[in-house]
Amino acid sequence: IKVETVFLPNGISTVFGPVSARLTDVENVLAMSKLNEFLVHAQQGKQHEYQALGDGVYGGNLRCIRSYFKSLAGQPPLTDEQRRCNAAIKVCRQSIEWNYGKV
């Protein structure tokens, strides 16, 4: 069972689901929820680009800001800019997690 939630800065939230899906079926849940299409439609004619803050499970399939993963063995370390980005995203993600306590 999967549920997709979106919390907006103005306090509005949306919930899609629950739907029956396997652990690796997040792309189909994303397609069913039409979240990506909503984000594209919401910014038509606007000068600002809207994106969701999400986790890496969405890959490149969503207009989504994601954290940089820690470097794996054999890969170059994260840059200072990537570490600063991760720190900023961490603060935003904490406020999102607080909302789950209310749901």
Side-chain angles (χ1 to χ4, degrees):
I1 301 283
K2 296 286 181 191
V3 176
E4 184 176 83
T5 55
V6 176
F7 296 104
L8 302 176
N10 61 3
I12 296 174
S13 62
T14 65
V15 177
F16 175 79
V19 295
S20 177
R22 296 173 188 246
L23 181 64
T24 58
D25 206 19
V26 72
E27 288 182 16
N28 289 331
V29 175
L30 179 61
M32 287 187 279
S33 73
K34 301 186 185 303
L35 177 59
N36 205 40
E37 290 84 351
F38 169 77
L39 292 172
V40 169
H41 178 73
Q43 61 192 3
Q44 285 181 339
K46 308 270 192 312
Q47 73 182 75
H48 301 290
E49 182 174 306
Y50 297 98
Q51 293 186 322
L53 176 63
D55 43 32
V57 72
Y58 287 109
N61 300 317
L62 175 67
R63 298 177 83 70
C64 184
I65 300 170
R66 294 174 299 279
S67 300
Y68 293 97
F69 292 104
K70 292 181 181 176
S71 296
L72 302 174
Q75 293 183 347
L78 294 178
T79 65
D80 288 341
E81 183 178 343
Q82 289 171 327
R83 284 194 294 276
R84 283 192 299 274
C85 180
N86 280 353
I89 288 174
K90 181 180 178 179
V91 172
C92 295
R93 288 190 61 93
Q94 287 172 341
S95 67
I96 292 169
E97 296 298 329
W98 294 335
N99 283 304
Y100 285 110
K102 298 175 187 175
V103 173

